[in-house]
């Protein structure tokens, strides 16, 4: 895996090396409130799963358990059958890329340094190799000319694409997207979603928490509807959007569509 | 008229001032700067340690940092200087001889560390939690994320408060004279005070005051300058940054290279 990090993105049309994700009976409580009450979810290798649902339903917490930014009280997540609980968190996080709602780029460093910093400090690449990889990825997300700028000098959409490039440069096997377009101006959303759709097509396994129903419907292989800490309904998008079974999902869809 | 002449002679007697200037500039200024700078370095290093301890998840690190800061912030500086400077002198005499400077610097540094520790802690705490999360999500350790991402941002935000602390240190360094100084060890205040005592005139102390102001006033304005920059959102650029302070800063943050290209174009065309 480490060697491929130096090679940048897969060449024209080639696919990512990704793995399946299986969430098993995941439970998390904050104090007395149960945020996840036994969540199960399976994403096949190279597929995209969108998690939808009202705010406070535990979508983000679920995502954060996959790379253990949140430690579950019980249950487990399996990456290609391997338990994440049994994996060292720092090693685990090198295999799992994550993109956040508020980008979380490092404002005191240039766009290029944002990508080379983890490559150099975590992947231990030499500076020139790290820069080469970073520039390849920046070109891949269409921002090759932004390398010397500070994040604050870019638009929100550009910042989010840098954040995606930063995660991809680490050569992950799974990508987590946590409401990545929620903080963007409407006209900037499309570019980010388009990039994500392209990653899906190229075989990246993706877990996407989103409020973009159009994206969920068009791009995902599986849609999971969460409410109050449980996956209430999951299935292919046609089924979830066209023939919702549970009343709660029907109510939710009638409110957001 | 008589009153004015008396006051002028008391505070601004040129002969007395001229007599004390060589000592002030030749000996005092240097010694004051040595005391202030050395203790500032010591205080900054210790202060960073205290800040990191204070932010730790372990109470066994937080508690000692808390106690240290409470004690050294709560004591009068002069008391700490006397306790450390005289109390430890017996022990350190084989090392330093009768030079009170090392212990004076230690005492000043210990006091400064308490204040600087709190300054750093507040700065580091003000950095968005998402920064550490993003670092961790990229596979960095807690220590790595703090060192490479969080602390550099936190320190930048408290630079004004930090420079204020350095100014305080320059002034407090005068208290070291309580430890007893040889003629060559006298700093600004001691020289002015000695001269005032022997001449019975306050003009040497006025000259001393001016020496302090020559150091502290530019520093105060440096603080204001940094503060204004941080407020206006213009980043204080590191020297190796391609987009330094005169780089493509655009107020709405949307310009990027195009804005720079336009700017350069306009400037280049102007002479023609």
């Amino acid at each position: 895996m480490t060697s491929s990090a130096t090679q940048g993105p897969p060449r024209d049309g080639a696919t990512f090396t990704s793995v399946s994700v299986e969430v098993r009976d995941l439970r998390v409580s904050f104090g007395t409130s149960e945020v996840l009450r036994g969540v199960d979810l399976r994403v096949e290798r190279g597929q995209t799963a969108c998690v939808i649902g009202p705010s406070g339903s535990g979508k983000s917490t679920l995502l954060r358990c996959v790379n253990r930014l949140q430690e579950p009280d019980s249950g487990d997540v399996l990456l290609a059958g391997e338990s994440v609980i049994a994996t060292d968190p720092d090693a685990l996080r090198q295999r799992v890329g994550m993109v956040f709602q508020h980008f979380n780029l490092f404002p005191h460093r240039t766009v290029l340094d944002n990508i080379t910093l983890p490559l150099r400090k975590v992947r231990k690449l030499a500076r020139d190799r790290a820069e080469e990889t970073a520039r390849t990825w920046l070109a891949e997300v269409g921002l090759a000319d932004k390398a010397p700028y500070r994040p604050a000098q870019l638009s929100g959409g550009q910042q989010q694409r840098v954040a995606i490039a930063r995660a991809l440069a680490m050569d992950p096997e799974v990508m987590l997207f946590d409401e990545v377009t929620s903080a963007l101006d409407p006209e900037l959303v499309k570019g980010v979603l388009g990039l994500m759709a392209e990653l899906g097509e190229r075989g990246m396994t993706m877990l996407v928490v989103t409020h973009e129903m159009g994206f969920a419907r068009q791009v995902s292989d599986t849609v999971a509807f969460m409410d109050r800490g449980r996956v209430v309904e999951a299935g292919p998008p046609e089924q979830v959007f066209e023939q919702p079974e549970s009343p709660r999902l029907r109510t939710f869809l009638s409110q957001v569509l | 008229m008589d009153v004015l002449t008396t006051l002028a002679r008391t505070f601004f007697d040129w002969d007395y001032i001229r007599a004390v200037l060589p000592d002030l500039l030749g000996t005092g200024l240097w010694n004051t700067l040595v005391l202030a700078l050395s203790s500032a370095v010591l205080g900054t290093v210790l202060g960073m340690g205290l800040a990191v301890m204070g932010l730790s998840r372990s109470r066994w690190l937080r508690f000692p940092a808390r106690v240290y800061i409470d004690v050294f912030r709560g004591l009068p500086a002069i008391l700490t200087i006397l306790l450390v400077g005289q109390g430890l002198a017996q022990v350190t005499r084989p090392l330093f001889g009768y030079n009170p400077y090392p212990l004076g610097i230690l005492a000043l540094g210990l006091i400064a560390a308490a204040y600087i520790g709190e300054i750093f802690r507040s700065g580091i705490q003000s950095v968005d939690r998402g920064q550490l999360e993003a670092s961790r999500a990229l596979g960095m350790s807690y220590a790595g994320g703090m060192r490479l991402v969080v602390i550099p941002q936190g320190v930048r935000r408290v630079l004004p408060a930090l420079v204020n602390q350095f100014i305080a240190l320059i002034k407090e360094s005068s208290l070291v004279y309580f430890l007893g100084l040889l003629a060559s060890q006298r700093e600004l205040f001691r020289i002015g005070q000695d001269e005032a005592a022997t001449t019975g005139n306050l003009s040497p102390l006025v000259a001393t005051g001016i020496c302090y102001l020559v150091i502290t006033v530019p520093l105060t304005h440096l603080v204001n300058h940094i503060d204004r920059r941080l407020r206006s959102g213009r980043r204080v650029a590191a020297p190796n940054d391609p987009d330094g302070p005169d780089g493509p800063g655009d107020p709405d943050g949307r310009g990027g290279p195009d804005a720079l290209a336009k700017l350069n174009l306009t400037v280049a065309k102007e002479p023609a």
Side-chain angles (χ1 to χ4, degrees), chain A residues 64 67 69 90 93-94 96 98 100 104-110 114 117-118 121-122 145-146 148-150 152-156 166-167 170 185 187-188, chain B residues 128-131 133-141 147-149 152-153 156 235-238 241-243 247-250 253-258 260:
Chain A
R64 294 159 59 84
N67 66 352
L69 282 183
D90 291 342
R93 289 172 190 143
Q94 292 185 46
V96 183
M98 188 167 192
F100 301 86
N104 295 355
L105 293 178
F106 307 139
H108 63 304
R109 292 188 177 255
T110 64
N114 261 273
L117 183 74
K121 301 299 176 180
V122 179
D145 56 338
K146 304 292 184 192
Y149 292 90
R150 294 298 174 96
Q153 293 172 304
L154 273 54
S155 75
R166 181 173 72 175
M170 296 296 285
D185 292 337
E187 76 271 18
L188 303 173
Chain B
D128 180 54
R129 284 177 53 92
Q131 291 292 309
E133 280 205 333
S135 313
R136 302 296 321 255
L138 287 162
M140 292 184 206
S141 62
R147 186 170 55 84
L148 297 165
V149 175
Q153 292 180 58
R156 223 166 274 217
R235 275 149 291 282
V236 183
D241 274 352
D243 55 337
D250 56 334
R254 293 275 165 90
D258 294 343
L260 176 69

Side-chain angles (χ1 to χ4, degrees), chain A residues 183-253:
Chain A
L184 296 181
D185 292 337
E187 76 271 18
L188 303 173
V189 168
K190 224 176 172 181
V192 172
L193 291 182
L195 175 60
M196 288 163 64
E198 194 194 321
L199 297 179
E201 276 164 27
R202 286 162 64 177
M204 177 58 74
T205 308
M206 305 203 293
L207 238 75
V208 183
V209 167
T210 187
H211 293 295
E212 298 287 335
M213 293 305 144
F215 178 84
R217 190 188 290 223
Q218 285 165 29
V219 175
S220 52
D221 300 288
T222 307
V223 178
F225 170 67
M226 282 186 71
D227 192 26
R228 289 177 226 164
R230 286 200 180 88
V231 173
V232 178
E233 204 170 326
E238 312 83 61
Q239 183 192 316
V240 169
F241 284 106
E242 309 301 338
Q243 290 131 18
E245 283 169 15
S246 71
R248 267 189 281 171
L249 174 55
R250 261 181 249 142
T251 315
F252 176 74
L253 288 177

Side-chain angles (χ1 to χ4, degrees), chain A residues 17-218:
Chain A
T17 328
S18 54
V19 296
S20 65
V21 180
E22 190 176 348
V23 179
R24 277 194 186 165
D25 194 29
L26 212 54
R27 289 169 194 274
V28 173
S29 312
F30 298 140
T32 54
S33 77
E34 290 177 89
V35 182
L36 296 183
R37 315 172 183 219
V39 171
D40 294 277
L41 184 68
R42 188 172 167 82
V43 192
E44 298 302 331
R45 187 178 144 192
Q47 296 212 325
T48 299
C50 282
V51 184
I52 60 171
S55 49
S57 57
K59 307 185 296 287
S60 291
T61 308
L62 165 65
L63 220 56
R64 294 159 59 84
C65 285
V66 176
N67 66 352
R68 288 177 67 187
L69 282 183
Q70 173 67 47
E71 293 291 342
D73 297 332
S74 70
D76 203 346
V77 178
L78 308 179
L79 299 185
E82 281 175 66
S83 159
V84 302
I85 301 298
T87 311
D88 168 66
D90 291 342
L92 166 70
R93 289 172 190 143
Q94 292 185 46
R95 301 175 57 191
V96 183
M98 188 167 192
V99 185
F100 301 86
Q101 180 177 356
H102 296 289
F103 329 137
N104 295 355
L105 293 178
F106 307 139
H108 63 304
R109 292 188 177 255
T110 64
V111 165
L112 188 72
D113 285 349
N114 261 273
I115 306 177
T116 56
L117 183 74
L119 285 175
R120 287 168 52 215
K121 301 299 176 180
V122 179
R123 285 281 192 217
K124 309 288 179 201
L125 293 194
R127 183 186 285 272
D128 53 339
R129 294 309 297 273
E131 286 193 1
E132 197 186 317
T133 308
R135 286 186 195 283
T136 318
W137 278 107
L138 275 178
E140 195 75 10
V141 300
L143 296 172
D145 56 338
K146 304 292 184 192
Y149 292 90
R150 294 298 174 96
Q153 293 172 304
L154 273 54
S155 75
Q158 291 171 336
Q159 289 189 54
Q160 195 59 294
R161 281 189 279 157
V162 172
I164 293 173
R166 181 173 72 175
L168 288 172
M170 296 296 285
D171 197 22
E173 298 160 50
V174 180
M175 283 287 285
L176 310 174
F177 294 87
D178 191 3
E179 299 195 23
V180 294
T181 55
S182 299
L184 296 181
D185 292 337
E187 76 271 18
L188 303 173
V189 168
K190 224 176 172 181
V192 172
L193 291 182
L195 175 60
M196 288 163 64
E198 194 194 321
L199 297 179
E201 276 164 27
R202 286 162 64 177
M204 177 58 74
T205 308
M206 305 203 293
L207 238 75
V208 183
V209 167
T210 187
H211 293 295
E212 298 287 335
M213 293 305 144
F215 178 84
R217 190 188 290 223
Q218 285 165 29

Side-chain angles (χ1 to χ4, degrees), chain B residues 64-148:
Chain B
R66 193 68 255 162
V67 170
Y68 179 98
I69 286 169
D70 281 348
V71 168
F72 281 93
R73 279 207 309 184
L75 291 175
I78 184 62
L79 193 140
T80 307
I81 290 170
L82 280 179
L83 286 183
V84 171
Q86 292 187 351
L88 298 184
Q90 309 262 336
V91 188
T92 58
R93 192 150 294 158
L95 261 69
F96 305 132
Y98 286 89
N99 187 351
Y101 268 50
L103 287 177
I105 288 166
L106 175 66
L108 287 169
L110 289 176
I111 299 165
Y115 290 93
I116 292 173
E118 282 297 87
I119 291 171
F120 279 152
R121 190 179 58 80
S122 71
I124 294 167
Q125 253 174 342
S126 77
V127 175
D128 180 54
R129 284 177 53 92
Q131 291 292 309
L132 185 62
E133 280 205 333
S135 313
R136 302 296 321 255
L138 287 162
M140 292 184 206
S141 62
Y142 174 82
M146 288 296 275
R147 186 170 55 84
L148 297 165

